[in-house]
Amino acid sequence: FSFYYWGDKIMDLVNKFLNGLRSALPTDELEELNTACGATKKDIDALKSEYPNCPESLISLLENIDGTYWRKYGEKEIAVCILGSDIEEYPYYLLSTQQMLESSKEEEDISYLLEYEDDEDAVDPKINPEGLLPGKYLHFSDCMNNGGTSRLFIDFNPSDEGVCGQIVRFLHDPDQYEVIANSFDEYLQKLIDNGFDFLDE
């Protein structure tokens, strides 16, 4: 019973997100997004097998749209920002299932930020000082300028102060790792509650 209840709740959340997103997107970007389709069962299975803790809401989102980051669907390549963070009016792309698996293989080293005491705000205490280790985080989103300035991660290996599945936002120059939500569900809900303000021109 509870599984179906949660399943419905997650479907509702993702549908609410997608409906709100489609209403908020400019017409040309909506037309582009409409050419997208969901990830294959094979790709979803690969993601689940590599990341058993992968949130159902992210799986559900990928089953609808398998990425918007220079992603080719048939003959058409799309680049539409559909996500946001705590940085206002700053949109992000959703990576495809394969891009996520590929780009989460390297360690995200944060030790250089922990060396300087005057930099204590650079790493959220909820993040494990060992950094984001391969297999223990999932890089799911890059910001509008191809990820050079900001990226988003799901962190499955937090510090004692954090929670498994928390959403980490990296921001470059000055470099900073910040927890912006306790879960992917909470993250999507925040984007909905803020009225998709990251799309404001």
Side-chain angles (χ1 to χ4, degrees):
F1 166 77
S2 61
F3 170 77
Y4 285 108
Y5 173 67
W6 276 110
D8 288 349
K9 248 181 114 165
I10 286 156
M11 292 278 293
D12 284 351
L13 173 65
V14 172
N15 285 335
K16 203 166 151 194
F17 171 77
L18 289 171
N19 290 336
L21 173 73
R22 290 192 168 106
S23 303
L25 274 174
T27 312
D28 55 335
E29 290 182 19
L30 179 60
E31 282 173 9
E32 220 178 314
L33 187 65
N34 284 340
T35 64
C37 59
T40 63
K41 185 179 184 306
K42 186 181 168 194
D43 283 348
I44 294 285
D45 288 347
L47 187 67
K48 283 179 168 174
S49 136
E50 194 84 23
Y51 295 93
N53 291 341
C54 187
E56 283 300 324
S57 45
L58 176 58
I59 298 284
S60 179
L61 185 57
L62 289 165
E63 285 172 342
N64 282 277
I65 300 168
D66 189 25
T68 64
Y69 183 55
W70 305 107
R71 174 77 167 90
K72 217 166 177 187
Y73 291 98
E75 289 302 296
K76 191 165 170 57
E77 186 177 58
I78 72 166
V80 185
C81 289
I82 66 166
L83 296 172
S85 75
D86 59 325
I87 306 162
E88 280 180 24
E89 296 185 16
Y90 201 62
Y92 292 70
Y93 299 104
L94 173 68
L95 270 57
S96 72
T97 316
Q98 288 188 352
Q99 285 169 331
M100 288 180 197
L101 287 167
E102 198 48 48
S103 61
S104 304
K105 286 178 175 170
E106 301 293 319
E107 176 184 347
E108 270 299 299
D109 182 26
I110 62 171
S111 60
Y112 71 100
L113 291 172
L114 297 169
E115 283 167 15
Y116 307 103
E117 284 176 17
D118 58 344
D119 240 3
E120 57 190 44
D121 290 341
V123 179
D124 194 312
K126 295 174 179 175
I127 297 167
N128 195 317
E130 289 180 351
L132 299 172
L133 304 174
K136 298 192 173 171
Y137 78 91
L138 189 59
H139 169 211
F140 70 91
S141 182
D142 273 344
C143 71
M144 61 192 287
N145 66 355
N146 301 329
T149 306
S150 185
R151 300 189 296 277
L152 301 176
F153 308 93
I154 303 175
D155 177 15
F156 302 114
N157 186 35
S159 73
D160 293 343
E161 294 180 43
V163 290
C164 181
Q166 64 192 8
I167 305 300
V168 173
R169 184 258 304 133
F170 165 73
L171 190 62
H172 175 55
D173 199 17
D175 288 4
Q176 183 199 44
Y177 287 85
E178 183 81 29
V179 173
I180 59 168
N182 286 326
S183 66
F184 194 77
D185 290 27
E186 186 183 293
Y187 164 72
L188 284 185
Q189 189 61 56
K190 279 184 177 180
L191 298 182
I192 295 167
D193 292 346
N194 292 335
F196 299 87
D197 59 0
F198 57 88
L199 295 172
D200 290 352
E201 290 302 313

